Amino acid sequence: MDGFGFIDGDQPPLPDPGEELFCHVRLARSPRVGTATFQRLMAEYGTAERALEALPHRVSRSGKADYCPAPKDRIEEEIARASAAGARPLLLGHPGYPARLAEIDDAPPILWALGDCALAHRPTVALVGARNASALGQRLAANLAKELGAAGQVIVSGMARGIDRAAHMASLETGSIAVLAGGVDVVYPRQNSDLAAALSTRGLLLSEAPMGLQPLARHFPKRNRIIAGLSQATVLIEAAERSGSLITARMALEQGRDVMAVPGNPLDGRAAGCNALIRQGAALIRDAADVLEALDTPIRQTPLRTNGFHDQTGHWMGEEPLPDRLHQMLHDLITTAPVPEDTLIRHLGLPVPQVVTALMDMELAGQIDRHAGGLISRRV
Amino acid sequence: MDGFGFIDGDQPPLPDPGEELFCHVRLARSPRVGTATFQRLMAEYGTAERALEALPHRVSRSGKADYCPAPKDRIEEEIARASAAGARPLLLGHPGYPARLAEIDDAPPILWALGDCALAHRPTVALVGARNASALGQRLAANLAKELGAAGQVIVSGMARGIDRAAHMASLETGSIAVLAGGVDVVYPRQNSDLAAALSTRGLLLSEAPMGLQPLARHFPKRNRIIAGLSQATVLIEAAERSGSLITARMALEQGRDVMAVPGNPLDGRAAGCNALIRQGAALIRDAADVLEALDTPIRQTPLRTNGFHDQTGHWMGEEPLPDRLHQMLHDLITTAPVPEDTLIRHLGLPVPQVVTALMDMELAGQIDRHAGGLISRRV
C-alpha cells in the first residue's frame, strides 16, 4: 500500500523522464492552454500526461468537438532543437525551476535555459530601461550592475540595446541573466550577438518561447513579467511614459515585488516613467548602496491590485446558477477590455472554484483570452 | 483710563515715526544684538527706544562697562542713503512687514525694500538652485517660474547666476522678489545689473543689510533664511551637496515650511542635493502642477529639529542655580561647535525664561554667537 491508495502490483509505472518532459511541453503548447489553465489542469490531474488525456474531453464539454492538443512532431522537434543547442528545460513544479518565479500567478510552464543554470537560484535584481538610453544612463546602469554584482546580486535584464546591454556587460563576471522574448537560440537585436554569446556561456539565457521563435512585439510584455518575476526587485533606469520598462515595473508591483527607480531631469522624456514611479512611492536610487538598503528595509508599495483568487473569501450570496447560466453571466461581464479575474469573482459573489472552473472552460472553448497579470478579455 | 493702566494726562507721547524708525534700526545694528535678542528686548521693553536706553545697563550687568549702542551718525546715514535710493523700511512688528517672514524665529528686525512692496504680501514660492546650472535646469526653472506665476504665485529667489536668474527673468511679469545678501543698492553679481534694474521697478529687492553693504560669503546663509522664511515652499532645482541651496532647504524645514525638489541624473553632481532631499521625503517636482498639488496637500516633512523654546515644557528638575552658577553651566555646555538652543534648554531642565535670559546676557556679554536656525556657539 502506498499513500495514494494503490495496492501492491496496482502502482502506476514511474514516468519516463523524457515522456514527462514531452507531455509537460505538449500541454503547455496546446491551443487554449494559457499559463493559468496549465497550472489548474496540473493541479486537477496531477501529471501533464493525464491532463493531456483529459484535455480534448474538457474542451468538447465547452462545445468544440474537434479539439487537438499540440501536434506531437512539433513538440519532438522543439525538444530536439533545444537539445542540439545545449538548452536545458526548467519545468514549473519540478526541481531546477527558479523558486521566486514559481511564486507568480502566471509563471511560465517551461523555460529553456542556455548557460549557467545555477545563476537562476541566486539573489537577483532586475535592471531595465530605455533602448535609446543616454550615455549617462548607460554609465549609471553599468555602475549599478557592477556594484550590485560585487555585493552578490545576479543581474536580470532583457538584452535590449541601451540600459539592458550596459547592465549585462557590466555583470558578466559576477552573474547576468537575460530573459529573451524569442527563442534562446535567436539573437535579437543582432547588434548584441557578442553579448548573447558571452551570456550563453558565462551567464544565462532564458526564454519561455520555443527554440527558433523570432520575437514579435506582443512577446515583449509577456517576457517582461518573467524579468520581474525572477527578481526580488526591479530597478528602472531611464524609462519613458508608456515604455516597456514601465510594463515591467507594473508587473513587478502586481507580483508584490519592490520597484525602484533612478530619477532624471523632468525635461528629459526618458526620465518621465522613473520620476512618476518615485512620486508613487518607488525608492529613489542613486547607487548600488541605495538598492541594497531598499532590499534590506523594503518599503512595500501598495500593489496596483490584488492578484489571483486565493485571497477571496468566496462568500456565497444566492442561488447557485447552473453552469450554462454562469457561463452566460461571465459572457455578459467579460468584454474585449481586459478585466482582472478577481474583480469578476468578487462581482459574482459565487464560490471561487465554480467561477474558476467556468473561466477555464471558457478559455479552453476559445471564448476568452488571458493576459499577463490575471487579466481576462473576450476573444474577438 | 486706557487698557495699559495710564490715567488721563499721564499717557506717553505718540512716538515720532522718524524717531521710531531710527531707534528700531539703531537697536538692530547695535553690537551683540542678534535677531533673537532684538525680539526679546522688544518684548521686554515694548519699544526700541526704551530697549536702547536699557541696553548699556543690561550689557554692563554682564561685566562689560563701556558698552555703546550703534553710533547715531551711522544710523542716520543708513536711513538717508535708503531714502535717497527710494528704499522703504519694513520693520518687524510693524504694518507692512511680510506676515509669513515674521513667523520665523530669527526674522530680520528690518528689511530695506526697493520696488513693489505689495508683492511681499502675496502667496510666494521660492525657487533656488545652482549658479553653474545646466541649460536644462535653467529651462526648467524658467518653466516653473512662468507657470507658477500664471497661477498667482510670486517667485522668491536670490538673484544669483543660473537657476536664480532664470527664475527671476521668467517671473518679472507676474511677480518676482530677490532677497540680496548685500545692500539693495548693491548689484551682485555684476552680470545681473539688467535683472536688478528690472526687479527694482517691476519686482522687489529686499535685504536686511544696510545700504551699500558689499556682500561677503558669510552673509549668504543668513540671506537664505529670509528666502525660505518669505515662502510657503522652497523648490530646489539643481543643488549639489553642501550647496547654498541646501542650506536654504534646511532652513525651510527648520521653519516648518515645505521643501520640494526637482530630481536629476545621479551622475550629475548638481542633482545630488535634490535627490537626497527627495529620499528624505521632499516632494518630487516635475512641473508647476506638482508644486501646486503639493501646496494644496502638504505632506509635511518631519522638521530636522524643533525650533525655539516656546515648544518646551520647561520642567523643573532640581535646585534653582544662582545666575552665576547657570552662566558657568552654560559656559561649560557651549563649545565652538554650534548647538541648538532648545537642546541646551532641554539638557538643563531648568525654567525656560531663566535659561533664555542667561543666554541673552551671555550674547550681550560677547561670550556666545547666535547663528541662523537657533544655533549657539562660544565666541572664539
Side-chain angles (χ1 to χ4, degrees), chain A residues 7-26:
Chain A
I7 55 169
D8 286 348
D10 196 21
Q11 289 188 38
L14 286 173
D16 167 9
E19 182 67 12
E20 191 174 355
L21 170 64
F22 178 84
C23 292
H24 191 107
V25 177
R26 191 175 182 213

Side-chain angles (χ1 to χ4, degrees), chain B:
Chain B
M1 288 278 289
D2 67 15
F4 293 98
F6 293 107
I7 54 169
D8 285 348
D10 195 22
Q11 289 188 38
L14 285 174
D16 166 9
E19 183 67 14
E20 192 174 352
L21 170 63
F22 177 85
C23 292
H24 191 107
V25 177
R26 190 174 181 212
L27 180 61
R29 302 294 182 220
S30 287
R32 301 183 184 174
V33 178
T35 55
T37 299
F38 179 91
Q39 289 192 53
R40 284 163 198 160
L41 290 171
M42 287 295 281
E44 196 169 332
Y45 295 101
T47 69
E49 190 176 4
R50 272 180 249 154
L52 266 177
E53 276 166 21
L55 194 53
H57 171 66
R58 283 297 292 264
V59 176
S60 69
R61 261 181 27 194
S62 310
K64 182 172 166 62
D66 55 347
Y67 178 84
C68 286
K72 284 191 175 187
D73 55 352
R74 215 183 78 202
I75 305 306
E76 278 159 4
E77 189 199 335
E78 174 172 355
I79 294 172
R81 282 187 71 158
S83 177
R88 281 147 63 191
L90 307 180
L91 304 183
L92 180 62
H94 291 256
Y97 194 88
R100 192 172 283 109
L101 182 61
E103 293 170 4
I104 73 171
D105 279 351
D106 48 1
I110 177 174
L111 287 174
W112 290 112
L114 199 58
D116 177 6
C117 287
L119 291 173
H121 303 288
R122 285 178 40 199
T124 44
V125 170
L127 298 185
V128 298
R131 286 188 297 276
N132 64 337
S134 70
L136 219 53
Q138 291 176 61
R139 186 141 60 90
L140 206 137
N143 289 356
L144 276 181
K146 197 179 181 104
E147 290 168 32
L148 288 170
Q153 298 287 334
V154 170
I155 302 302
V156 180
S157 194
M159 213 177 81
R161 293 181 292 115
I163 297 299
D164 288 18
R165 179 182 171 88
H168 285 305
M169 292 298 279
S171 58
L172 279 174
E173 300 302 324
T174 48
S176 201
I177 299 177
V179 185
L180 307 183
V184 287
D185 56 345
V186 177
V187 175
Y188 178 89
R190 294 299 319 170
Q191 301 100 303
N192 278 344
S193 56
D194 58 335
L195 177 56
L199 285 166
S200 68
T201 51
R202 296 146 68 194
L204 181 60
L205 297 172
L206 292 178
S207 175
E208 66 175 331
M211 307 299 290
L213 182 86
Q214 294 291 332
L216 301 174
R218 65 185 163 89
H219 295 132
F220 288 90
K222 290 184 67 190
R223 183 275 309 267
N224 291 353
R225 88 182 192 286
I226 304 177
I227 292 178
L230 277 169
S231 310
Q232 35 183 349
T234 295
V235 183
L236 269 75
I237 309 157
E238 296 195 344
E241 299 274 21
R242 287 182 292 280
S243 61
S245 305
L246 268 193
I247 295 177
T248 311
R250 186 170 58 77
M251 289 171 170
L253 288 172
E254 288 174 358
Q255 293 165 5
R257 306 286 164 79
D258 276 327
V259 171
M260 313 175 184
V262 174
N265 188 299
L267 292 181
D268 181 352
R270 289 170 292 205
C274 291
N275 290 344
L277 283 172
I278 294 167
R279 281 178 60 85
Q280 288 160 31
L284 184 155
I285 298 302
R286 300 165 299 179
D287 52 26
D290 285 346
V291 176
L292 296 170
E293 184 191 315
L295 286 176
D296 264 358
T297 55
I299 302 161
R300 291 258 171 236
Q301 290 92 359
T302 311
L304 298 187
R305 47 174 216 84
T306 316
N307 247 324
F309 56 91
H310 50 277
D311 279 339
Q312 301 299 321
T313 55
H315 55 293
W316 171 232
M317 293 175 67
E319 285 288 302
E320 184 164 350
L322 295 169
D324 277 356
R325 170 98 185 91
L326 177 54
H327 279 100
Q328 188 56 51
M329 288 165 68
L330 284 168
H331 195 266
D332 292 345
L333 280 171
I334 300 172
T335 69
T336 52
V339 60
E341 178 175 12
D342 57 352
T343 304
L344 290 173
I345 293 172
R346 201 158 32 219
H347 181 84
L348 289 166
L350 296 173
V352 173
Q354 192 184 354
V355 182
V356 169
T357 302
L359 287 171
M360 192 168 79
D361 287 343
M362 291 176 78
E363 185 182 4
L364 290 171
Q367 296 165 347
I368 59 171
D369 285 314
R370 289 186 181 271
H371 310 276
L375 298 177
I376 290 172
S377 69
R378 186 189 300 178
R379 184 172 290 183
V380 284

